[in-house]
Amino acid sequence: MSLHRIRPDLARHAQEIAEIAKRAGLDFFETRFELVDFDTMQQIAAYGGFPQRYPHWRFGMEYEKLRKQHVYGLGKIYEMVINNDPCYAYLVEDNSVTDQKLVMAHVYAHCDFFKHNYWFSKTNRKMMDEMANHATRVRRHIDRQGYEDVERFIDTCYPLDNLIDPHSAFMQREAKRDETPSQTMSKEREIEKDVVRFKAKPYLESWINPPHRAEKQRQELMSQKKKEKHVLPRQPLRDVLGFLIEHAPLEDWEADILSIIREEAYYYAPQGQTKIMNEGWATFWHSRLMTRHILTDDEIITYADHHSGTVAMGPGQINPYKIGVELFRDIEERWNKGRFGKEYDECKDMEAKRRWDRKLGMGMEKVFEVRSIHNDVTFIDEFLTPEFVDRFKMYHYRFDPSTRRMVVVNRDFNKIKAQLLFMLTNHAQPYIYVVDGNYSNRGELYLAHKHTGVDLDIKYAVETLKDVQRIWRRPTHLQALINDEMVLFSFDGEQSQQQKIHADMPAPAHGV
Amino acid sequence: MKIDKDHQRFRQIVKGRIRDDLRKFLTRGELIGKEGKNIITIPVRGIDLPHFRYGDNNDGGVGIGEGQVGDGVDGDGEAGPGGSNPGNHLMEVEVSLDELADILGEELRLPRIKPKGNHQITSQKDRYSGIRSTGPESLRHFKRTFRAALRRQIIAGTYDPNNPVIVPIRQDRRYRSWKTVLKPQSNAVIVYMMDVSGSMGDEQKELVRLEAFWIDAWLRRNYEGIESRYIVHDVRAAEVNRQTFFHIREDGGTKISSAFKLARSILDTHYAPEEWNVYIFHFSDGDNSSESDSRECCRMLRDHMLPRINLFGYCQVASAYGSGNFINVIHEHLEEQQNVITSRVNTKDDIYDSLKTFFTPGK
């Protein structure tokens, strides 16, 4: 695929819009547009935005879904942009020039977001090359191992790609392995601290705290500490994939493929964490730039039509573009008018609140700050207000078993916010931890689901556990709270079983 | 396109799933109505790879719009941001009837249709797959012409990369041309006979239709120029068209020999044995008006029909009424005949096995 191919007229528009965007304060990586036909766009979309991925049928399945969506008129892809330096963005060649301009403005804002949002700060900015490398590596494994074996192994690994720790890039969870002497010293001091000493007058000391007992305690504590050292992992670990790569009995090519899948999962994680913000930010800027600077009179209708399509919301649905852009606009207005802080929050006079305007003009500054430091969870947590929920008529719905329909259950601000936050936390993936890599001292793997109010899907859990076992090769367990009961799912390579957890069973090294 | 391989691989996996569930698909009656479109949509479960995910006892979602507490949320309750609601992970895949017949064919074995007849042994097909240096201008192959010119200029040393002008001359021109492909073709006729008397209830007819449908779909897929004739009978027999055969409702008594007589006269009139492969399938609940008529059928088969046909398939469906004795009479009288095959179909699940019984010998 040759890059940097774009019609001169579009290149001119891209140039102009980039300059307008920069003047407005956006700061992005160099952005390269490419003009593709519709089918290529679908192909790239099926590949998660990249022109190259390693061979696997699920990309083909994604492609089939996208094609069908288009045939049935359910969706059309207008834009696609890759977080990379330089950023790559695709334009569909049959779109009107107005649409192309809109997409360009939208894309520049995405690129600004990629460059400045904190959650993207640790992503690989050469992912375009990296994806191509992954493809080459997997192809090489296919040449050596055969297509079927490699495909089967990818089938086994891929179901685990949400078992990562999206925050691990930002913090050191596991202690460094080679401990320095000073730490060993402190360990001794720690043991000394834990040795039980009763209060005693000096002349009674050897009677009340006989040295042999202290020595015995010291020995016990020491051996306990030693045992702890052999506990794997040393604390519950969310990066299950990382753990498997390090400790599962994998062949080199298998470890390589698993690490490719893990690396790509980490690359995509920030996009899952900032869906609302990123789309909101891009929509905020495209509408601002288009209406204020770019549109010519005869383009207004086309623009309005497309824009309203982007931010349209069906009943019972939340469109991340819409909720995101409205929140950014709300923040801009609130910080322009000073509608924040103790005084505003405590004001009970609704009329005064409605007219509140301190003319602070801090809106722009604030939105840029917000785009830099927040992710969807903190964004909603901090900026969703009762007024906003009211204005946009938001509600909380739930499945009603008697009518078998989704029904509105309430319009309570706290419930709505709690629900939104729940849906966004860990981008709606369950929390799974490795809690013991040597369960019952038999080298079995023990995973645990941390319950956050919703049970795991049992059928899927059982199937996914099989894939974990295929990698670990020893019996593998998953502990999960199902219908208020602690259940242990197990798979030993041949048989699946599940049992209620009871006191007689050996406990894993850690709880969650 | 790069994704083609992945896409093909996906289709292959889909087909594998269909093969695993072939029995189930063969019993889907609604396919019969859809054959005009020749594309059927099959929901395939479990192609998606599993993940740890939330179950469906979750706490709903957040929406926007009017409505009081207790009102239903329109739409499908699609998840909000983050997508907390699990989809049903059901993938609908389009498969053409031909593809399905192919899959069926891979599981069964084709009958050995002998090349017969002299007027139609081969069919000819022209394919534009060749290249020649002469031909009409309308068939000029521009790319190949250009390539030939480029090659000539490079060899002649007149090609300048800084000024890449290619001028094809007369000798460079290339034209598409056809090759004639001979396709062996055999003549085959299938005669379907069905008992539509009162004792054949809707359930029985449904079984027959499904089985006949698959025999038909599959043979048509594999042989060009196959002819099908359809006969329905109660005490009298009549030839009907395909549409009628698959949808007719009748009642009355049963006289199986009436259908055999009609079949024989059709064969005598139109299908000379030296020119045609003949397949006859008869479907009934095995109830006949008299034992003597059943014996008469066997006599007709042995004396007049079996010597000149490839296969007589008899498929008996279970019925609450009647003796269901015809299959026994056939066994009794025609046991030694190689080209008689019988099968019983009691439920839809038996269709697959019945098809296998008919075709596995590869007759």
Side-chain angles (χ1 to χ4, degrees):
Chain A
M1 181 175 285
S2 75
L3 293 163
H4 228 154
R5 194 161 29 100
I6 186 173
R7 290 201 311 259
D9 63 318
L10 290 178
R12 210 174 54 241
H13 287 308
Q15 186 67 35
E16 276 169 24
I17 294 171
E19 273 155 28
I20 292 167
K22 278 179 192 156
R23 275 203 301 279
L26 293 180
D27 170 37
F28 34 85
F29 297 123
E30 184 196 341
T31 303
R32 295 186 185 164
F33 287 97
E34 179 161 7
L35 203 57
V36 296
D37 61 29
F38 194 73
D39 200 59
T40 310
M41 189 71 155
Q42 285 177 330
Q43 174 192 338
I44 293 168
Y47 277 151
F50 288 87
Q52 274 214 59
R53 292 296 287 275
Y54 58 83
H56 193 248
W57 56 265
R58 86 191 127 83
F59 301 122
M61 176 168 78
E62 200 50 44
Y63 175 68
E64 170 127 350
K65 276 186 192 163
L66 288 168
R67 266 199 340 188
K68 207 161 291 171
Q69 252 178 31
H70 178 61
V71 171
Y72 296 155
L74 294 176
K76 187 173 172 185
I77 311 159
Y78 273 95
E79 50 106 357
M80 180 111 51
V81 49
I82 308 181
N83 168 30
N84 194 76
D85 183 10
C87 278
Y88 286 93
Y90 304 95
L91 304 170
V92 182
E93 63 190 3
D94 294 336
N95 284 345
S96 70
V97 173
T98 315
D99 279 346
Q100 307 286 26
K101 289 178 174 175
L102 185 155
V103 170
M104 287 170 185
H106 194 88
V107 160
Y108 285 128
H110 273 314
C111 299
D112 167 85
F113 195 88
F114 290 146
K115 187 170 174 184
H116 291 283
N117 182 272
Y118 179 68
W119 303 92
F120 284 91
S121 60
K122 307 278 185 186
T123 54
N124 185 349
R125 305 292 190 185
K126 294 288 172 207
M127 203 58 189
M128 192 91 152
D129 302 339
E130 192 60 35
M131 287 287 191
N133 289 342
H134 290 175
T136 311
R137 269 153 67 189
V138 173
R139 284 206 184 90
R140 201 189 309 140
H141 295 315
I142 287 174
D143 288 343
R144 287 180 194 162
Q145 313 296 331
Y147 190 89
E148 303 262 311
D149 285 359
V150 172
E151 180 185 69
R152 208 171 311 127
F153 191 71
I154 295 174
D155 286 355
T156 303
C157 296
Y158 177 67
L160 315 182
D161 79 340
N162 58 350
L163 303 183
I164 59 171
D165 182 354
H167 296 133
S168 67
F170 302 97
M171 53 185 78
Q172 184 78 41
R173 288 194 202 271
E174 279 275 89
K176 287 249 160 47
R177 226 175 292 166
D178 45 331
E179 285 169 349
T180 54
S182 69
Q183 280 172 311
T184 324
M185 285 293 284
S186 73
K187 199 164 267 175
E188 266 159 25
R189 229 173 286 140
E190 225 173 273
I191 288 173
E192 210 48 53
K193 200 180 73 218
D194 289 344
V195 171
V196 181
R197 273 191 78 251
F198 297 106
K199 228 176 178 177
K201 296 250 163 37
Y203 60 92
L204 284 177
E205 171 74 27
S206 63
W207 299 97
I208 290 174
N209 294 313
H212 64 91
R213 200 186 63 198
E215 185 52 37
K216 203 175 145 208
Q217 274 197 10
R218 237 172 252 130
Q219 300 266 333
E220 270 169 22
L221 284 168
M222 194 61 119
S223 72
Q224 201 180 323
K225 277 266 177 314
K226 261 193 187 142
K227 215 186 276 169
E228 264 171 37
K229 231 179 143 183
H230 290 291
V231 165
L232 252 186
R234 260 179 254 177
Q235 47 187 312
L237 208 63
R238 270 183 70 198
D239 188 0
V240 181
L241 283 187
F243 183 82
L244 290 175
I245 290 169
E246 215 167 306
H247 301 289
L250 295 170
E251 304 211 7
D252 287 352
W253 69 271
E254 293 174 322
D256 189 42
I257 284 176
L258 190 55
S259 65
I260 284 173
I261 284 179
R262 176 168 173 267
E263 195 187 330
E264 295 187 2
Y266 274 108
Y267 170 78
Y268 283 112
Q271 301 187 19
Q273 289 172 300
T274 58
K275 186 86 183 136
I276 296 180
M277 282 188 75
N278 201 348
E279 292 305 349
W281 183 249
T283 309
F284 179 83
W285 281 102
H286 87 227
S287 63
R288 199 179 173 93
L289 298 180
M290 289 297 278
T291 52
R292 293 186 188 187
H293 303 286
I294 300 168
L295 283 177
T296 54
D297 294 350
D298 59 336
E299 290 178 325
I300 292 282
I301 302 292
T302 317
Y303 164 76
D305 183 43
H306 181 141
H307 177 75
S308 61
T310 312
V311 297
M313 297 233 288
Q317 294 184 339
I318 285 217
N319 176 333
Y321 294 77
K322 173 72 176 172
I323 197 108
V325 67
E326 293 299 352
L327 272 172
F328 272 116
R329 283 180 185 151
D330 194 51
I331 292 166
E332 188 196 1
E333 190 190 344
R334 283 168 61 201
W335 263 262
N336 271 338
K337 295 183 174 173
R339 296 181 175 185
F340 58 92
K342 192 165 155 56
E343 198 186 342
Y344 178 78
D345 288 342
E346 285 174 359
C347 173
K348 293 278 175 276
D349 179 354
M350 292 319 278
E351 185 53 24
K353 269 187 140 171
R354 203 177 58 75
R355 288 201 204 149
W356 195 288
D357 189 355
R358 294 282 149 89
K359 301 207 165 21
L360 292 183
M362 289 162 65
M364 261 301 137
E365 197 185 323
K366 187 67 185 174
V367 292
F368 275 107
E369 176 198 309
V370 169
R371 81 84 159 85
S372 295
I373 62 178
H374 284 276
N375 63 25
D376 282 351
V377 173
T378 60
F379 184 58
I380 296 289
D381 191 33
E382 191 141 349
F383 300 107
L384 189 76
T385 60
E387 288 87 351
F388 187 90
V389 164
D390 222 35
R391 182 147 62 98
F392 288 98
K393 298 193 170 68
M394 295 170 77
Y395 57 73
H396 174 208
Y397 68 82
R398 194 187 289 162
F399 184 71
D400 176 12
S402 62
T403 55
R404 302 203 62 75
R405 292 181 69 187
M406 293 289 181
V407 297
V408 177
V409 276
N410 61 58
R411 291 181 177 276
D412 177 62
F413 168 70
N414 289 319
K415 279 278 166 52
I416 289 169
K417 184 169 156 183
Q419 179 65 29
L420 268 177
L421 288 177
F422 168 72
M423 297 190 318
L424 294 168
T425 301
N426 199 29
H427 35 117
Q429 306 292 330
Y431 288 93
I432 308 280
Y433 290 86
V434 183
V435 291
D436 199 341
N438 185 25
Y439 180 56
S440 325
N441 202 25
R442 289 196 297 243
E444 299 179 7
L445 183 65
Y446 197 104
L447 306 178
H449 171 226
K450 183 170 149 202
H451 202 275
T452 49
V454 179
D455 291 359
L456 280 184
D457 182 312
I458 298 180
K459 235 178 75 202
Y460 275 71
V462 167
E463 286 308 305
T464 315
L465 188 64
K466 287 182 185 170
D467 288 320
V468 181
Q469 193 277 336
R470 269 170 216 138
I471 292 174
W472 189 250
R473 305 217 177 127
R474 296 274 308 143
T476 301
H477 312 270
L478 170 73
Q479 168 197 313
L481 190 67
I482 305 284
N483 292 328
D484 291 326
E485 268 180 330
M486 257 319 169
V487 180
L488 189 68
F489 298 93
S490 304
F491 184 67
D492 63 5
E494 277 164 15
Q495 274 190 325
S496 277
Q497 59 161 332
Q498 59 188 79
Q499 53 183 323
K500 277 181 217 162
I501 290 181
H502 50 82
D504 301 344
M505 288 162 68
H510 310 282
V512 288
Chain B
M1 238 175 35
K2 285 194 195 78
I3 207 152
D4 278 349
K5 265 193 184 156
D6 290 335
H7 191 230
Q8 273 166 21
R9 180 68 189 138
F10 167 65
R11 301 284 306 180
Q12 220 178 327
I13 291 170
V14 168
K15 282 186 190 171
R17 292 292 158 105
I18 293 173
R19 180 168 306 144
D20 291 344
D21 288 339
L22 200 55
R23 245 167 236 278
K24 211 169 68 206
F25 293 120
L26 295 187
T27 59
R28 283 163 53 112
E30 68 268 32
L31 297 184
I32 295 182
K34 286 189 175 171
E35 58 188 302
K37 252 177 88 191
N38 247 352
I39 283 273
I40 51 184
T41 310
I42 291 184
V44 181
R45 266 170 217 280
I47 292 233
D48 226 342
L49 293 162
H51 274 96
F52 285 124
R53 62 183 183 98
Y54 291 126
D56 52 12
N57 66 337
N58 76 36
D59 220 13
V62 172
I64 284 190
E66 304 290 342
Q68 302 291 315
V69 169
D71 285 358
V73 177
D74 290 322
D76 55 359
E78 183 66 29
S84 73
N85 287 353
N88 54 6
H89 282 247
L90 197 72
M91 173 91 192
E92 291 238 311
V93 176
E94 276 169 8
V95 175
S96 71
L97 196 55
D98 284 350
E99 276 177 292
L100 209 51
D102 280 346
I103 294 169
L104 182 63
E106 284 164 31
E107 290 295 295
L108 308 174
R109 229 182 301 154
L110 289 175
R112 284 192 296 269
I113 293 188
K114 299 166 200 143
K116 283 189 180 180
N118 46 22
H119 56 290
Q120 235 184 327
I121 291 175
T122 53
S123 64
Q124 294 189 344
K125 261 194 176 165
D126 292 336
R127 281 175 192 271
Y128 281 85
S129 56
I131 292 286
R132 288 180 194 174
S133 52
T134 55
E137 281 306 302
S138 61
L139 289 180
R140 194 161 88 208
H141 196 306
F142 290 95
K143 208 168 164 180
R144 296 289 285 262
T145 302
F146 180 80
R147 227 156 70 184
L150 179 62
R151 183 181 297 151
R152 179 183 48 75
Q153 278 186 232
I154 288 173
I155 291 167
T158 57
Y159 176 71
D160 175 13
N162 297 319
N163 183 26
V165 178
I166 308 290
V167 185
I169 58 168
R170 180 77 215 140
Q171 292 96 303
D172 296 327
R173 297 202 184 159
R174 296 290 179 271
Y175 302 86
R176 289 167 214 277
S177 79
W178 65 89
K179 281 182 182 153
T180 302
V181 184
L182 293 181
K183 213 176 166 185
Q185 182 164 341
S186 307
N187 292 338
V189 60
I190 316 167
V191 182
Y192 296 96
M193 301 185 284
M194 173 164 51
D195 180 0
V196 289
S197 66
S199 63
M200 290 281 286
D202 284 345
E203 233 174 275
Q204 284 74 29
K205 284 181 201 155
E206 174 70 10
L207 291 177
V208 172
R209 278 182 206 112
L210 278 171
E211 172 126 4
F213 175 79
W214 285 112
I215 293 176
D216 205 50
W218 180 47
L219 288 178
R220 272 167 192 273
R221 168 69 180 148
N222 286 291
Y223 296 103
E224 279 179 46
I226 212 159
E227 289 197 24
S228 305
R229 309 294 286 246
Y230 302 90
I231 294 171
V232 291
H233 72 92
D234 41 32
V235 288
R236 271 164 319 204
E239 183 172 7
V240 296
N241 62 23
R242 180 178 162 82
Q243 176 70 12
T244 314
F245 183 81
F246 286 121
H247 297 97
I248 194 169
R249 287 167 194 283
E250 289 269 321
D251 56 9
T254 318
K255 199 171 169 195
I256 296 179
S257 63
S258 64
F260 282 40
K261 270 183 200 139
L262 181 57
R264 189 184 156 192
S265 89
I266 290 173
L267 292 180
D268 284 347
T269 325
H270 302 284
Y271 304 101
E274 61 277 9
E275 292 198 4
W276 292 87
N277 291 283
V278 181
Y279 295 83
I280 301 178
F281 291 96
H282 183 225
F283 304 92
S284 95
D285 60 358
D287 191 29
N288 203 0
S289 57
S290 67
E291 281 298 304
S292 62
D293 189 67
S294 295
R295 281 197 297 277
E296 166 69 10
C297 289
C298 291
R299 195 188 56 74
M300 279 170 63
L301 272 174
R302 187 173 48 235
D303 296 349
H304 301 289
M305 291 158 87
L306 291 180
R308 50 175 290 184
I309 70 175
N310 301 47
L311 176 71
F312 172 73
Y314 174 67
C315 175
Q316 184 161 302
V317 293
S319 159
Y321 315 99
S323 59
N325 198 40
F326 191 57
I327 196 167
N328 300 328
V329 179
I330 290 181
H331 286 166
E332 192 184 319
H333 292 274
L334 301 169
E335 206 183 4
E336 74 287 2
Q337 299 288 338
Q338 293 289 316
N339 51 352
V340 174
I341 295 177
T342 61
S343 81
R344 283 177 193 270
V345 173
N346 297 329
T347 67
K348 286 183 175 181
D349 281 346
D350 298 331
I351 290 178
Y352 178 77
D353 294 320
S354 172
L355 288 171
K356 264 194 128 139
T357 316
F358 283 139
F359 292 112
T360 304
K363 284 189 173 154

